Amino acid sequence: MIDLASKKDDEDSSGLKRILSLRDLTFFGIAAIIGAGIFSTIGRASYDGGPAVSLLFLMVAVACIFTALCYAQFSSMIPVSGSAYTYAYASLGEIFAWVIGWALILEYAVSNMVVAISWSEYFTSMLQGFGIKWPDWLAIDAGSASRAYEQVLHAKVGEHLPGNIIAAAKTYETAPVIGNLHILFDLPAGLITVLITALVFVGIKESKNVSNGLVILKLGIIALVIVAGAFFVKPENWSPFAPNGVGGILKGVAAVFFAFIGFDSISTTAEECKNPQRDMPRAMIYSLVVCTVLYIIISLVLTGMVNYKELRVDDPLAFVFGKIGMNFIAGVISVSAVIAITSALLVYQIGQPRIWMTMSRDGLLGKKFGKIHPKYKTPSYSTIITGILVGLPAMFLDMQFVVDLTSVGTFFAFIMVCSGILYLDYKGYSKTAKFKIPYINGKYLIGILLIATGIIVYNKFGITQIKEAIAEKPLLIVFIAVWAGLAIAALKYKFSLIPILGILFNLYLMTELGLSNWTMFLIWLAIGLVIYFTYGYKNSKLNKKYEQLV
């Protein structure tokens, strides 16, 4: 394990302002979690899973709670910015930390692209409500428009196509053309990223005040949707509850998991908290519980108001109220969502630069990434780079592509954090934690759960269906092998149950993602390892200390 004293020294000499309270941290968590997930991707998940998507929200929430407890214990031991990167650095070593830091770029920077794209959808909808027509070719990525055009072009006679597909195809056809290139990009997504980056650059106090105000507004909108929508719920829309079975429910796992990403962003602000070891663990749990309850309720309201088949839209909350003729509330939601989604964008833009700042301190990134602005006391260079890396792709990438890519990186980081807790427990370092995960001896439980699950699955599906499932999702073999390995390790080392459940839940959810997502993630990791061995390893402070000793 890395000497935690050196990390504490980094914290004390960081130059960042300590102004965040428990309420601020909790609001940061809610701001990050309730963003594009509830205002956008919840519609896609409901389309696949039907009303039973509420169960998927609960399942993913359980996985996140196990992970959040591990984050909470780490944050009480290491009150330093950097989130999962710092925790891995202190427990598993530098190479694992680099891999997680590299993966976190997918979680923070890439997920912010989704938030920016979602913001753009609501922004253009809001303008239309005021009678202002934003140019369609400046509000959609070229890939989505091109695929929609091809889908319409090759549609069979009499085939019903969603209205958004037809609209996108028309936009592609009427967009300006230079040579053979159709000019299409999402300008609002880029503009909002620039504005938020400027706010984050100016200071944490200003960002905190804006975030708190936006969260209060956001919760008010959700309360309005729930109360108003409850009067229009038709129970028949909940039948069948799971129209596409378990497979349909789990198909939305990437979208639903994306809706929960954010509680870990609290840990990136450790060096700006008044009492990080006490307040960060509480804030993570509080924000996750509040958001889980709201997600489950709102998913039931949405699928009760309209048939789940109609929810494959990027602005489901505004859509359902427009569908039942309540255009006023639909308009209020569109206007408010533009403001509320901004808070999620804000928190992620705060988080990413602080991870890079911490990596720079360890020598794994250039010194510029760790530079603190003398006036604003923020990681200025990292903040600007984050704005560029989010703003440019947000204008040109498809939302679904980005959602899936984000989830792979986040699952991986979560698994590493849970693994780090197991290692610290094994070494006895967890005794210094001010917040300790309740210890439940998993010596026999992990193996018993594996055997019991195997028996239940065999009796329910039979060997033929099990083979078909593994052939369709070969990563299940990895999941089973890891579970068996953890069962053996728990038998020998008496591992705690909760971190192991965190590993297993996240790993299983990873198996539900497509092979293409895994391929892209592995390519991303390969690029990261090349950068590490060509720059990071040579310039690592840890490596330089080792060379001095030998």
Side-chain angles (χ1 to χ4, degrees):
M1 177 171 144
I2 307 300
D3 183 11
L4 297 186
S6 62
K7 286 292 179 187
K8 190 68 171 62
D9 291 340
D10 286 339
E11 172 202 7
D12 295 336
S13 60
S14 67
L16 301 176
K17 295 180 180 179
R18 288 194 176 278
I19 63 171
L20 301 179
S21 65
L22 174 60
R23 185 192 68 171
D24 298 326
L25 293 173
T26 303
F27 274 27
F28 268 151
I30 294 173
I33 297 172
I34 302 180
I38 201 164
F39 286 103
S40 181
T41 58
I42 191 173
R44 296 172 182 267
S46 298
Y47 174 82
D48 292 319
V53 74
S54 56
L55 300 179
L56 183 58
F57 275 108
L58 183 60
M59 176 183 174
V60 174
V62 170
C64 286
I65 286 173
F66 290 142
T67 307
L69 289 171
C70 294
Y71 265 94
Q73 180 169 320
F74 261 127
S75 66
S76 73
M77 296 173 64
I78 313 170
V80 180
S81 297
S83 187
Y85 163 78
T86 298
Y87 305 153
Y89 194 95
S91 59
L92 301 176
E94 185 178 86
I95 181 64
F96 288 101
W98 169 265
V99 169
I100 287 183
W102 190 246
L104 284 175
I105 295 176
L106 291 181
E107 178 183 353
Y108 286 86
V110 181
S111 63
N112 236 4
M113 297 174 199
V114 181
V115 181
I117 294 169
S118 178
W119 185 91
S120 175
E121 292 273 353
Y122 278 96
F123 175 74
T124 54
S125 176
M126 178 193 72
L127 291 181
Q128 195 167 2
F130 286 109
I132 302 172
K133 176 64 176 175
W134 182 269
D136 292 332
W137 61 278
L138 290 178
I140 189 172
D141 65 279
S144 295
S146 175
R147 285 191 295 274
Y149 179 76
E150 291 295 323
Q151 190 174 344
V152 171
L153 197 64
H154 297 96
K156 298 178 181 178
V157 178
E159 181 181 352
H160 174 72
L161 293 175
N164 60 324
I165 295 295
I166 296 173
K170 186 177 179 181
T171 299
Y172 181 82
E173 193 174 17
T174 58
V177 179
I178 298 178
N180 293 322
L181 181 66
H182 289 247
I183 309 302
L184 302 112
F185 58 95
D186 197 341
L187 181 59
L191 291 177
I192 187 59
T193 304
V194 171
L195 292 174
I196 291 297
T197 302
L199 175 61
V200 173
F201 184 92
V202 168
I204 189 67
K205 182 179 180 180
E206 292 76 8
S207 300
K208 176 201 73 170
N209 292 337
V210 172
S211 174
N212 289 352
L214 293 178
V215 167
I216 292 172
L217 174 61
K218 182 186 296 189
L219 294 177
I221 300 163
I222 294 171
L224 172 66
V225 170
I226 292 172
V227 173
F231 290 100
F232 295 91
V233 167
K234 297 178 181 178
E236 57 264 30
N237 285 330
W238 289 334
S239 181
F241 191 67
N244 298 314
V246 176
I249 297 172
L250 292 176
K251 193 174 180 180
V253 68
V256 169
F257 186 78
F258 176 80
F260 279 98
I261 294 174
F263 67 85
D264 57 316
S265 63
I266 296 171
S267 60
T268 65
T269 61
E271 293 167 40
E272 289 146 299
C273 303
K274 294 177 181 177
N275 192 339
Q277 291 176 299
R278 182 197 68 186
D279 291 343
M280 282 199 299
R282 295 180 183 181
M284 288 182 195
I285 303 301
Y286 292 166
S287 59
L288 194 55
V289 170
V290 168
C291 295
T292 299
V293 173
L294 291 176
Y295 276 161
I296 292 173
I297 294 174
I298 206 167
S299 64
L300 290 172
V301 169
L302 282 179
T303 53
M305 290 175 69
V306 300
N307 187 282
Y308 73 95
K309 294 179 181 179
E310 300 182 58
L311 288 172
R312 197 175 189 178
V313 294
D314 289 330
D315 54 348
L317 300 190
F319 170 79
V320 293
F321 282 98
K323 184 74 177 177
I324 62 175
M326 296 186 69
N327 293 320
F328 172 74
I329 293 184
V332 170
I333 290 172
S334 290
V335 174
S336 304
V338 169
I339 302 171
I341 294 179
T342 307
S343 65
L345 192 63
L346 174 61
V347 174
Y348 282 118
Q349 289 298 91
I350 289 173
Q352 181 66 73
R354 283 150 180 80
I355 293 174
W356 282 343
M357 174 190 72
T358 309
M359 295 174 76
S360 174
R361 288 178 188 164
D362 296 327
L364 302 184
L365 289 177
K367 291 182 179 180
K368 279 190 174 182
F369 284 92
K371 181 182 178 182
I372 304 298
H373 195 281
K375 179 180 178 181
Y376 301 122
K377 303 299 181 183
T378 58
S380 51
Y381 181 80
S382 292
T383 299
I384 293 172
I385 295 300
T386 298
I388 295 172
L389 290 183
V390 171
L392 287 178
M395 292 193 289
F396 301 102
L397 292 182
D398 172 50
M399 178 183 282
Q400 191 58 49
F401 168 82
V402 180
V403 168
D404 292 344
L405 191 58
T406 302
S407 297
V408 180
T410 308
F411 281 134
F412 184 78
F414 283 4
I415 289 172
M416 289 295 100
V417 170
C418 294
S419 302
I421 289 295
L422 288 180
Y423 179 78
L424 294 184
D425 286 346
Y426 168 68
K427 289 292 187 178
Y429 296 125
S430 294
K431 294 176 182 179
T432 62
K434 292 189 177 181
F435 173 87
K436 185 76 170 66
I437 296 173
Y439 177 76
I440 302 173
N441 192 341
K443 181 175 182 179
Y444 300 112
L445 285 175
I446 304 301
I448 291 172
L449 287 172
L450 175 61
I451 295 171
T453 302
I455 293 173
I456 293 171
V457 171
Y458 177 79
N459 289 335
K460 184 173 179 62
F461 299 105
I463 190 66
T464 302
Q465 289 191 42
I466 292 174
K467 288 181 178 179
E468 291 175 354
I470 292 176
E472 184 179 347
K473 298 174 182 175
L475 290 172
L476 285 171
I477 297 175
V478 176
F479 171 72
I480 296 169
V482 170
W483 194 344
L486 288 172
I488 296 171
L491 193 64
K492 183 176 180 181
Y493 301 113
K494 299 180 182 179
F495 281 151
S496 177
L497 180 65
I498 291 177
I500 289 181
L501 289 178
I503 294 171
L504 294 177
F505 265 93
N506 285 298
L507 184 58
Y508 177 75
L509 292 174
M510 284 184 84
T511 66
E512 292 296 326
L513 300 175
L515 185 61
S516 60
N517 305 131
W518 275 89
T519 302
M520 288 184 292
F521 179 64
L522 291 175
I523 293 172
W524 178 259
L525 285 186
I527 294 171
L529 288 173
V530 170
I531 294 174
Y532 172 74
F533 285 110
T534 56
Y535 178 86
Y537 181 76
K538 295 178 181 178
N539 295 277
S540 161
K541 289 184 178 179
L542 190 66
N543 185 48
K544 289 180 179 179
K545 287 181 181 179
Y546 176 77
E547 289 177 348
Q548 290 174 358
L549 290 174
V550 298

